[in-house]
């Protein structure tokens, strides 16, 4: 199948893109890497009348660290994140996660802004942004908004973006020196969307986690910042403590069922990831062995 007929405009600047979007409302769609938009159009899941191509807007590209904040432009491609020394040095969680996003052909075109705006609940980057406590920078006709990643995703393929707004960048606080991270997902094949995944960032002091953000994905309609993490913070994590956190996680998650996995299987896999995550963050392989599930 091919897409319905549509008009095409190549935006020359951020303001030009926003003007085009504002003039056409819901009938216009932004085109970044096209790796999700074009398949959806070809399958006629969506039929926008106008495509606003933002690919030429240089100010939307790039990665920069200033004053404790790492800023990534919306048009920065997955492959750029994967190869960036700044990302590897400051937020290695992202380097690790992007390697799980699709395959090289898709990573060569897909962008961080497209991935976040698309808001697939099984996608890696939205979960990472919540784990990293990122801010999503959004521009509309009247003003610029800065939205905590935690509040940005509102449902399956849904965000707080309105039809006349452009996601322009993400800003990530550079983690402290004693930060540690964990990323892992279960997928049928490497590069497939996750069945269940976990992106986590922690602050570790000796053998204690003094801060922990556990973000599960593919278990809900949006990334889930698990409150079960509070059970693991500022305590000696003995097996009983991990068991209690695991039980709390099981109660907290309400995963759906699809052709890939049942809800109980997703809940079980999330607990497996939790145990592996805590074991890795604390350098305690005994905790990840699975007895505490
Ligand atoms: C076979 C296949 C496998 C894939 N596997 C994975 C995977 O495992 N994990 C994963 O995370 N992704 C996966 N993807 C999706 C891929 O990562 C996409 O690149 C990404 O989701 C969208 O980025 P894009 O730049 O291509 O966005 P586009 O396709 O151009 O746009 C996606 C949506 O976001 C909107 N949009 C884009 N940019 C902006 C912006 N700056 N402001 C506002 N709205 C905007 C568009 O209007 C559209 O609705 C896969 C895709 C394919 C085809």
């Amino acid at each position: 199948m091919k897409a319905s007929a549509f008009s095409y405009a190549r935006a020359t600047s951020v303001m030009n893109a926003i003007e085009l979007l504002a003039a056409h409302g819901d009938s216009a769609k932004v085109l970044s890497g096209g790796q999700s938009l074009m398949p959806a159009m070809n399958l006629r899941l969506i039929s926008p009348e106008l495509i606003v191509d933002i690919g030429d807007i240089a100010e939307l590209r790039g990665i920069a660290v200033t004053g404790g904040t790492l800023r990534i432009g919306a048009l920065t491609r997955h492959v750029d994140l994967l190869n960036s020394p700044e990302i590897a040095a400051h937020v290695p969680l992202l380097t690790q996660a992007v390697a799980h996003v699709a395959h090289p052909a898709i990573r060569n075109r897909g962008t961080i802004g497209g991935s976040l705006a698309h808001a697939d609940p099984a996608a890696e980057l939205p979960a990472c942004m919540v784990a990293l406590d990122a801010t999503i920078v959004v521009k509309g006709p009247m003003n610029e908004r800065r939205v905590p990643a935690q509040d940005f995703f509102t449902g399956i393929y849904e965000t707080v973006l309105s039809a006349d707004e452009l996601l322009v960048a993400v800003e990530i606080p550079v983690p402290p020196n004693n930060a540690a991270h964990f990323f892992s997902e279960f997928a049928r094949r490497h590069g497939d969307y996750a069945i269940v995944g976990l992106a986590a960032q922690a602050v570790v002091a000796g053998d204690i986690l003094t801060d922990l953000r556990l973000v599960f994905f593919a278990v809900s309609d949006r990334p889930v910042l698990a409150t079960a993490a509070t059970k693991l913070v500022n305590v000696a994590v003995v097996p009983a403590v991990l068991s209690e956190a695991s039980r709390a996680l099981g109660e907290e998650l309400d995963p759906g069922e699809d052709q890939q996995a049942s809800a109980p299987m997703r809940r079980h896999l999330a607990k497996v990831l939790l145990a592996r995550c805590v074991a890795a963050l604390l350098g305690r392989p005994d905790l990840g062995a699975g007895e505490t599930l």
Side-chain angles (χ1 to χ4, degrees):
M1 207 153 35
K2 281 292 158 203
S4 304
F6 59 89
S7 303
Y8 171 91
R10 184 169 286 230
T12 53
S13 66
V14 168
M15 269 332 287
N16 178 228
I18 291 167
E19 281 160 15
L20 287 163
L21 292 173
H24 293 85
D26 283 336
S27 61
K29 274 279 179 194
V30 175
L31 173 68
S32 287
Q35 298 305 294
S36 296
L37 182 66
M38 297 319 296
M41 287 174 65
N42 287 339
L43 291 167
R44 301 210 177 182
L45 297 173
I46 52 168
S47 300
E49 289 166 17
L50 174 71
I51 291 299
V52 178
D53 183 349
I54 60 171
D56 270 357
I57 307 177
E59 67 187 278
L60 292 178
R61 292 185 195 281
I63 299 166
V65 187
T66 355
T69 301
L70 185 130
R71 184 177 165 107
I72 307 173
L75 273 183
T76 307
R77 299 170 308 156
H78 303 323
V79 68
D80 302 322
L81 298 176
L82 197 58
N83 296 333
S84 160
E86 288 92 350
I87 300 279
H90 297 294
V91 276
L93 174 68
L94 268 189
T95 312
Q96 209 180 331
V98 175
H100 292 267
V101 176
H103 311 285
I106 290 155
R107 294 200 291 263
N108 285 342
R109 287 189 172 272
T111 66
I112 188 168
S115 179
L116 300 178
H118 187 55
D120 189 314
E124 290 80 2
L125 297 183
C128 289
M129 291 305 128
V130 179
L132 293 166
D133 204 9
T135 297
I136 299 188
V137 186
V138 170
K139 249 189 194 158
M142 307 303 287
N143 58 6
E144 182 173 282
R145 298 198 282 149
R146 311 171 78 75
V147 185
Q150 210 173 318
D151 302 330
F152 184 76
F153 306 99
T154 53
I156 301 176
Y157 306 130
E158 283 178 12
T159 69
V160 298
L161 279 173
S162 57
D164 58 359
E165 285 183 318
L166 202 61
L167 191 164
V168 293
V170 296
E171 290 179 352
I172 300 170
V174 171
N177 287 338
N178 56 344
H181 72 277
F182 174 87
F183 183 91
S184 185
E185 67 179 39
F186 289 106
R188 296 272 169 212
R189 296 166 305 184
H190 186 89
D192 281 3
Y193 276 105
I195 298 171
V196 177
L198 170 58
Q201 175 158 276
V203 178
V204 186
D207 52 5
I208 301 283
L209 300 166
T210 57
D211 189 33
L212 178 62
R213 292 175 74 85
L214 296 171
V215 183
F216 290 87
F217 55 102
V219 292
S220 180
D221 64 350
R222 68 196 83 175
V224 176
L225 179 62
T227 56
T230 55
K231 309 256 178 219
L232 298 160
V233 171
N234 291 324
V235 289
V237 183
V238 294
V241 168
L242 180 55
S243 274
E244 175 53 20
S246 186
R247 189 200 55 74
L249 179 69
E251 280 183 7
E252 178 179 1
L253 295 182
D254 185 17
E257 177 160 340
D258 58 20
Q259 68 278 23
Q260 298 224 71
S262 64
M265 180 176 163
R266 282 203 158 86
R267 202 176 273 113
H268 171 75
L269 293 177
K271 290 178 176 185
V272 172
L273 289 178
L274 172 67
R276 289 182 187 173
C277 171
V278 175
L281 291 173
L282 292 173
R284 292 265 314 277
D286 57 303
L287 290 173
E291 297 87 355
T292 52
L293 297 176

